[in-house]
Amino acid sequence: MNKLSTYCKGFILALVMFTYSCVNDDSFFPDSIDAKITSTTTIVSILNDIKTRNSIVNEEDLCFTFKYPLIFGYNTDSTIRVDDYQGLLGVISGQSANFNITGLQFPVQIMFKGANSTILVENEDTLINVLRECEIKTFRDVFNHLYRQCFKFEYPIVLNDKDNKEVDIDTEESFSRFLVDQGANYQPDFKFPISILVTPDLKPTRISTYYEFYEIINNCIGCPAIRFEIQPLQENEYRFIPDIEIMEGYQLFFKINGEVITDQVIDGNPFTRQFTPGTYETCIKVITTNCLKGTIACKEIVVEPICPVVTFTNERVTGTNTYKFNPSVTGVSNDVTIGWYVNEVFIENSLLSAGIVELDLDQGTNNVCAKVITPNCPNGQKFCDEVVVP
């Protein structure tokens, strides 16, 4: 019996030593480390940035590098010490929904690419500045872009504000106001777990860490890129040429100065519309199952008046002060109205189709004008000629 007990103790000791040697070699599994871990979305953003790059990232290619060792905290309240970049990659690849990084021990030291000295990072605010310098998106950056595109919240939710006070949020409007009140640098500090409604079927998904949040974000298709060109045609008509692939379930809207145009069908093909003179904000909006809020692209066009060319000839009626005026107007139909003025005094209106107009003039110099007003030329186009009556 004693021999059996000794054998079992020896086997257990050997197993413990073997496990310890594996941890010590690759720094992958959490060690028992006495460390003060600060929960931070920013370190989760950094690890996710490395994870989601299209190719394996060499350390020298990064905008900044850490000075090791680093001590991370997991959602299981365990910790791990990472001694080099390969260990960091191992930690990143070893994460799962049940076992992921939630924080790190400050301070840490980083070195920017090409620099000769390190920088001390003592808190999350400083680490956010590092991300800004390297153009790495923070959690707030990504969240602002994809919120209501790929997911919504199942309310109520609870967050810590910038003063670390708990705030209960019951509606989408309250959450939007809360983000504005906290300022642009605030990183949403959720009190987990929370329930997220994920597109396209808005199925509730319960998450407990920012790693799980990023798993949803990384799989989010989001809103399509919208581009369109505007080509001016004749008579103040413009052709709109969308540059977007229309997929099943897409809803497209054409908007002019904020008003949805219901008589214009948008199917991805070019379409035309005529405008009266003025300034217009023309937009195409798209809503999809992966873009709940919708996305919009806008361009401004300035439509200049198109005024007809007005001229006339005149001929005196023999023995009188009456003159026959024969008008000519290009660019309009024959039913356009011509206003006649003598010495800036309105005399009468006549239709172009009526042809010759007779006007009685006074002796001396008379300034005779013909003016045409059209919808595309609201201020009118005028032609004047001096007629001297002897």
Side-chain angles (χ1 to χ4, degrees), residues 179-362:
L179 284 183
V180 172
D181 292 342
Q182 299 309 300
N185 289 328
Y186 170 77
Q187 302 296 311
D189 187 1
F190 296 100
K191 193 170 181 63
F192 292 109
I194 59 175
S195 182
I196 293 180
L197 305 175
V198 182
T199 59
D201 54 4
L202 295 179
K203 181 180 178 181
T205 301
R206 194 169 179 83
I207 61 173
S208 299
T209 63
Y210 290 97
Y211 172 85
E212 293 177 77
F213 217 139
Y214 266 113
E215 289 294 283
I216 293 172
I217 289 171
N218 294 340
N219 292 318
C220 173
I221 298 174
C223 294
I226 304 176
R227 293 176 294 273
F228 67 96
E229 297 298 325
I230 302 177
Q231 182 181 40
L233 305 175
Q234 294 181 345
E235 302 295 332
N236 280 349
E237 191 173 48
Y238 288 79
R239 175 180 289 127
F240 296 84
I241 308 172
D243 182 11
I244 177 175
E245 182 181 3
I246 308 301
M247 308 294 287
E248 184 178 354
Y250 278 27
Q251 301 176 59
L252 278 74
F253 307 92
F254 182 48
K255 302 177 71 174
I256 299 177
N257 289 342
E259 180 184 355
V260 176
I261 307 303
T262 56
D263 63 350
Q264 186 70 64
V265 178
I266 304 178
D267 55 6
N269 296 316
F271 60 94
T272 60
R273 190 171 186 88
Q274 194 168 41
F275 294 82
T276 56
T279 300
Y280 300 89
E281 183 187 49
T282 59
C283 305
I284 294 179
K285 182 175 182 178
V286 179
I287 297 176
T288 76
T289 55
N290 292 300
C291 183
L292 303 178
K293 185 181 178 182
T295 183
I296 192 167
C298 298
K299 290 186 177 183
E300 184 181 88
I301 58 173
V302 178
V303 181
E304 299 292 347
I306 298 178
C307 293
V309 177
V310 184
T311 58
F312 57 76
T313 59
N314 68 82
E315 180 183 356
R316 186 177 186 182
V317 177
T318 304
T320 69
N321 287 349
T322 300
Y323 282 73
K324 294 182 177 180
F325 293 89
N326 186 16
S328 173
V329 184
T330 60
V332 294
S333 61
N334 284 335
D335 60 356
V336 71
T337 299
I338 302 174
W340 293 95
Y341 299 80
V342 176
N343 296 326
E344 298 185 358
V345 176
F346 173 74
I347 304 300
E348 64 177 78
N349 284 324
S350 68
L351 292 176
L352 177 62
S353 58
I356 292 175
V357 173
E358 294 186 355
L359 299 177
D360 295 328
L361 304 180
D362 295 330

Side-chain angles (χ1 to χ4, degrees), residues 28-75:
F28 184 78
F29 296 101
D31 299 325
S32 178
I33 301 172
D34 184 17
K36 182 180 179 182
I37 300 298
T38 301
S39 294
T40 162
T41 61
T42 309
I43 193 61
V44 182
S45 300
I46 293 171
L47 301 185
N48 186 73
D49 178 70
I50 297 173
K51 172 186 174 181
T52 55
R53 290 173 183 259
N54 294 327
S55 59
I56 298 176
V57 182
N58 294 319
E59 188 173 21
E60 57 270 19
D61 295 331
L62 297 176
C63 175
F64 74 92
T65 55
F66 288 105
K67 183 178 180 181
Y68 298 93
L70 299 173
I71 299 178
F72 294 116
Y74 283 89
N75 61 320

